[in-house]
């Protein structure tokens, strides 16, 4: 489970101005949130003249509460509230007199914060969050302190590997107002128990609208989720195809549905029901008239195709779907983008109609994603993807969702250079690539990396005066050693020199386009990320770039200004 970062408007947890020192009542020295007006008017010896009111103290309590809510971090809400209450008497009265401010109960607050929040919250609905990796207490102690107040819970978000106290709590507790339930095992701590049942086998609370389960084999059927609006299942909570189809069929109010990496449904050796393999047209249609977001990833291809073929979701606003190919005789055209999902084309057209560009991303040849507007298609599998799979997918998109999409600019991002020469040339000739990101994570791939840079440095051998990716305007590339520096400079200079020789101006509508942005950064141990050792290289790129913006480590390079500043620093060292 992802850990939340601290609120950007608050001090660091190491700042002594609000350090708790294990106590929730100790004054905070040096707190910058001053409220001198009341102190002065109360005759407390404040610096202001008697009767003078601080500007913030002119705010009515309703607006002051808005300020408080913006300040409070979701990670340590109780500790933040205590800090606010220590500023002045008025702030203390407002904070401690507003029970709804204390409704967030976090494991990161520690036991003092937990006790304080539960006391101050009184009978308001609670939002409980516990992530074992960052909590200040163990799972059992945390839930034991909540005790009977679990009945006030409207949101329960727990990530832990210690599930006995969680299951015991959910079995015994009466939670009639529970609207959000999120349960997870940390990704690196696999579930070792059998299928679990929540609420002692009874149906989920009628108010439950949001269910999010990760890496837990949860028995779904007993929950009877007919009113669920948001369903996210990741890992192992589904045990059969029939279960997922039944779940969708019994949840007509669904607005969001994410099915990710359901392990029992992604295994290419599982027994797929005959109606799925045969793509039966007489299977009952599943009406999801409210569904707006659908995300299906890393399931068996036949199951993904069948789900898409039987659902009817006319209000889709966002779709992500993986085409997971594990067998040699499978392909996107024959196994996913068939006529059986043609009813989804009108919705898909709406998803891409406002797209400004196509984004293609790959960690390696085993996984590619194609994003167009609010539609994302993934090509995944155990075996390396074939170039034909990419072409089949794009051809289907252009043919069915709009031929105008073919003219959109393409942003291509490749990690580890897991891409062959013919692939790279195909991208440059088939698509209008205007932005290219070539990232290196592994030194053994250097020969292929250098080949890609070389291909960009000269006209194609198969065609005179025709360059690879002629529309390329922005490039981002890692610098891994001194040789790569000279190769990058030569590539930039070669393209721009050819433009100069041909007399094509920067605003020209035809021919090779000049770079507008060149993003550079270090990778590995052979190149420093500091500016000083790279000054000569950056100045050479700037000269070759003929006015292109140069960026180093995501900071814009200003040429002589940056060079002068580095020189001053080194001179003073």
């Amino acid at each position: 489970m992802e850990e939340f970062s601290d609120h950007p408007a608050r001090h660091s947890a190491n700042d002594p101005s609000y350090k708790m020192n294990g106590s929730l009542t100790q004054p905070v020295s040096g707190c910058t949130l001053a409220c001198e007006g009341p102190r002065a008017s109360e005759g407390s010896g404040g610096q202001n003249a008697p009767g003078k009111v601080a500007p913030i103290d002119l705010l009515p309590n309703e607006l002051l509460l808005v300020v408080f809510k913006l300040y409070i971090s979701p990670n340590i809400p109780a500790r933040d509230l205590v800090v606010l209450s220590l500023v002045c008497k008025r702030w203390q009265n407002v904070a401690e007199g507003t029970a709804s401010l204390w409704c967030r109960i976090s494991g990161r607050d520690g036991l003092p914060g937990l006790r304080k929040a539960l006391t101050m919250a009184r009978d308001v609905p609670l939002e409980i969050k516990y992530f074992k990796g960052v909590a200040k207490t163990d799972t059992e102690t945390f839930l034991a302190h909540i005790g009977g107040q679990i009945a006030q819970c409207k949101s329960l978000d727990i990530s832990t590997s210690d599930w006995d106290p969680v299951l015991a709590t959910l079995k015994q507790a009466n939670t009639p107002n529970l609207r959000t339930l999120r349960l997870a095992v940390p990704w690196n701590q696999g579930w070792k128990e059998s299928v679990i049942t929540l609420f002692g086998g009874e149906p989920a609370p009628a108010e439950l609208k949001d269910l999010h389960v990760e890496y837990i084999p949860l028995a779904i059927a007993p929950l009877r989720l007919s009113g669920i609006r948001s369903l996210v299942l990741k890992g192992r909570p589904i045990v059969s195809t029939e279960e997922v189809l039944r779940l969708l069929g019994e949840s007509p109010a669904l607005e969001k549905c994410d099915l990710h990496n359901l392990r029992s449904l992604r295994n290419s050796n599982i027994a797929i029901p005959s109606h799925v393999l045969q793509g039966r047209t007489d299977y009952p249609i599943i009406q999801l008239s409210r569904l707006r977001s659908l995300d299906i990833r890393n399931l068996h291809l036949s199951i993904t195709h069948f789900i898409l073929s039987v659902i009817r979701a006319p209000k889709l606003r966002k779709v992500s779907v993986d085409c997971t190919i594990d067998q040699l005789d499978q392909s996107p055209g024959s196994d996913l983008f068939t006529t059986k999902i043609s009813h989804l084309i009108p919705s898909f057209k709406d998803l891409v109609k406002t797209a400004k560009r196509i984004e293609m991303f790959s960690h390696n040849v085993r996984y590619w994603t194609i994003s167009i507007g609010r539609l994302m298609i993934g090509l995944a599998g155990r075996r390396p993807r074939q170039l034909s799979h990419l072409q089949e997918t794009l051809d289907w998109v252009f043919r069915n969702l709009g031929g105008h999409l073919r003219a959109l600019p393409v942003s291509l991002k490749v990690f580890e250079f897991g891409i062959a020469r013919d692939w790279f040339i195909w991208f440059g000739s088939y698509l209008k690539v205007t932005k290219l990101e070539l990232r290196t994570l592994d030194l053994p791939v250097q020969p292929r990396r250098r080949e890609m840079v070389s291909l960009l440095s000269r006209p194609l051998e198969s065609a005179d005066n025709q360059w690879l990716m002629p529309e390329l305007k922005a490039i981002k590339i890692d610098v891994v050693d001194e040789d790569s520096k000279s190769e990058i400079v030569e590539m930039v200079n070669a393209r721009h020199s050819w433009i100069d020789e041909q007399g094509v101006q920067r605003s020209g509508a035809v021919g090779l386009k000049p770079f507008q942005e060149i993003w550079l950064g270090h990778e590995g141990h052979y190149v420093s990320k500091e500016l000083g050792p790279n000054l000569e290289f950056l100045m050479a790129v700037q000269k070759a770039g003929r006015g292109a913006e140069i960026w180093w480590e995501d900071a814009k390079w200003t040429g002589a200004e940056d060079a002068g500043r580095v020189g001053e620093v080194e001179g003073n060292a």
Side-chain angles (χ1 to χ4, degrees):
M1 179 70 69
E2 181 176 300
E3 177 185 345
F4 288 92
S5 60
D6 284 343
H7 193 289
R10 36 180 332 279
H11 294 291
S12 165
N14 296 319
D15 189 333
S17 67
Y18 77 97
K19 197 168 184 178
M20 302 310 296
N21 296 323
S23 170
L24 286 171
T25 58
Q26 183 169 334
V28 182
S29 62
C31 185
T32 59
L33 297 173
C35 184
E36 296 296 341
R39 292 179 180 173
S41 63
E42 294 165 5
S44 59
Q47 297 176 359
N48 293 346
K52 187 175 181 180
V53 180
I56 195 172
D57 216 37
L58 297 175
L59 291 177
N61 287 351
E62 293 80 5
L63 290 181
L64 191 59
L65 283 173
V66 173
V67 175
F68 284 5
K69 290 176 181 178
L70 291 173
Y71 175 80
I72 297 168
S73 164
N75 302 317
I76 45 175
R79 186 157 58 171
D80 281 352
L81 282 164
V82 170
V83 170
L84 293 173
S85 67
L86 292 173
V87 171
C88 65
K89 187 64 175 178
R90 184 198 174 201
W91 285 27
Q92 180 183 13
N93 290 339
V94 172
E96 296 188 351
T98 309
S100 60
L101 285 177
W102 301 84
C103 68
R104 294 178 178 175
I105 310 298
S106 171
R108 291 186 65 177
D109 265 325
L111 289 181
L114 174 60
R115 297 189 188 104
K116 178 77 172 180
L118 290 172
T119 300
M120 302 306 297
R122 296 190 284 277
D123 58 354
V124 301
L126 300 178
E127 300 174 22
I128 299 172
K129 181 176 294 184
Y130 179 88
F131 298 165
K132 184 177 181 180
V134 295
K136 302 300 182 183
T137 184
D138 62 85
T139 310
E140 185 173 6
T141 302
F142 178 81
L143 292 174
H145 274 76
I146 293 175
Q149 286 181 265
I150 191 72
Q152 298 170 222
C153 182
K154 71 173 183 179
S155 174
L156 184 61
D157 189 352
I158 296 181
S159 175
T160 181
S161 56
D162 185 11
W163 277 93
D164 288 340
V166 178
L167 297 178
T169 299
L170 291 177
K171 181 177 181 179
Q172 301 169 7
N174 177 25
T175 54
N177 300 314
L178 186 64
R179 293 181 60 86
T180 299
L181 180 60
R182 300 181 180 180
L183 306 175
V185 174
W187 68 271
N188 59 342
Q189 301 178 28
W191 185 271
K192 298 181 175 61
E193 306 299 328
S194 58
V195 175
I196 66 170
T197 303
L198 299 180
F199 308 111
E202 295 297 318
E207 290 297 312
L208 186 64
K209 305 300 180 187
D210 179 358
L211 178 63
H212 184 129
V213 182
E214 294 189 23
Y215 304 106
I216 301 172
L218 175 65
I220 298 291
L223 298 178
R224 300 179 189 176
L225 301 173
S226 60
I228 201 76
R229 294 180 182 174
S230 177
L231 178 67
V232 178
L233 302 177
K234 299 181 180 181
R236 295 188 292 172
I238 291 289
V239 297
S240 72
T241 307
E242 296 294 349
E243 185 176 3
V244 71
L245 294 172
R246 181 173 61 250
L247 175 59
L248 294 176
E250 295 176 353
S251 306
L254 265 182
E255 298 174 6
K256 174 183 177 180
C257 180
D258 292 3
L259 305 175
H260 291 192
N261 195 30
L262 306 184
R263 299 183 183 181
S264 55
L265 299 188
R266 71 174 184 172
N267 188 345
S268 60
N269 296 319
I270 63 173
I272 308 295
S274 58
H275 58 264
V276 173
L277 288 176
Q278 297 167 8
R280 272 174 38 189
T281 58
D282 59 340
Y283 194 87
I285 297 300
I286 299 175
Q287 297 289 348
L288 298 174
S289 60
R290 299 183 183 180
L291 188 66
R292 300 177 67 85
S293 176
L294 177 64
D295 195 331
I296 303 177
R297 303 192 193 186
N298 205 12
L299 303 189
H300 191 280
L301 182 56
S302 297
I303 295 173
T304 299
H305 176 257
F306 194 76
I307 292 174
L308 294 178
S309 70
V310 298
I311 65 171
R312 298 296 184 268
K315 294 184 178 180
L316 282 172
R317 293 295 176 267
K318 182 180 180 182
V319 172
S320 298
V321 59
D322 269 357
C323 178
T324 304
I325 299 174
D326 290 315
Q327 299 177 18
L328 292 176
D329 59 347
Q330 293 178 326
S331 74
S334 62
D335 293 273
L336 181 60
F337 302 114
T338 71
T339 57
K340 292 184 174 62
I341 70 165
S342 59
H343 58 280
L344 292 173
I345 288 178
S347 295
F348 285 7
K349 283 184 175 181
D350 285 340
L351 299 179
V352 304
K353 67 181 180 182
T354 59
K356 303 299 183 184
R357 65 170 53 246
I358 298 173
E359 297 183 356
M360 301 189 65
F361 170 77
S362 176
H363 276 284
N364 51 55
V365 293
R366 295 179 186 274
Y367 187 64
W368 283 86
T369 59
I370 303 169
S371 299
I372 311 174
R374 288 171 280 123
L375 173 66
M376 192 281 287
I377 300 172
L379 296 172
R382 297 177 183 175
R383 297 181 176 88
R385 303 280 62 76
Q386 298 178 18
L387 181 56
S388 60
H389 294 167
L390 276 172
Q391 186 160 356
E392 277 185 25
T393 302
L394 288 169
D395 283 346
W396 183 87
V397 168
F398 298 150
R399 184 172 62 252
N400 292 280
L401 307 186
H404 67 284
L405 299 174
R406 186 185 294 273
L408 288 179
V410 174
S411 176
L412 176 62
K413 183 176 182 180
V414 182
F415 274 85
E416 297 184 8
F417 294 89
I419 177 173
R421 174 190 175 94
D422 57 333
W423 287 51
F424 201 64
I425 294 175
W426 178 82
F427 279 117
S429 57
Y430 188 74
L431 300 170
K432 182 182 175 181
V433 179
T434 61
K435 183 178 180 180
L436 175 64
E437 186 170 347
L438 299 177
R439 306 304 303 270
T440 302
L441 301 179
D442 213 313
L443 286 178
V445 300
Q446 287 308 299
R448 180 166 291 177
R449 174 197 179 282
R450 290 198 161 98
E451 183 178 30
M452 301 303 105
V453 175
S454 176
L455 285 171
L456 294 171
S457 303
R458 62 182 186 273
L460 292 170
E461 297 175 357
S462 58
D464 292 338
N465 295 331
Q466 182 176 339
W467 289 69
L468 187 64
M469 302 182 185
E471 302 279 349
L472 192 59
K473 298 178 182 179
I475 188 168
K476 186 171 186 178
I477 188 169
D478 289 328
V479 181
V480 296
D481 54 27
E482 293 302 316
D483 288 341
S484 68
K485 290 182 179 180
S486 61
E487 292 164 357
I488 292 170
V489 172
E490 290 172 5
M491 181 267 293
V492 174
N493 186 63
R495 293 175 78 95
H496 284 224
S497 294
W498 191 87
I499 293 173
D500 292 343
E501 292 171 2
Q502 298 297 314
V504 179
Q505 301 301 315
R506 191 171 293 275
S507 59
V510 295
L512 184 64
K513 296 295 189 297
F515 286 123
Q516 296 177 1
E517 299 177 7
I518 301 173
W519 296 70
L520 304 164
H522 93 294
E523 178 63 39
H525 304 290
Y526 298 97
V527 175
S528 172
K529 71 174 183 179
E530 304 301 327
L531 274 176
N534 295 291
L535 283 179
E536 183 178 351
F537 165 60
L538 291 172
M539 294 178 73
V541 174
Q542 185 180 48
K543 180 179 179 181
R546 293 162 171 76
E549 291 184 356
I550 311 299
W551 298 72
W552 176 259
E553 293 292 331
D554 294 327
K556 189 174 180 179
W557 161 253
T558 59
E561 182 180 337
D562 279 339
R565 185 164 56 250
V566 172
E568 290 177 6
V569 172
E570 292 179 347
N572 295 329

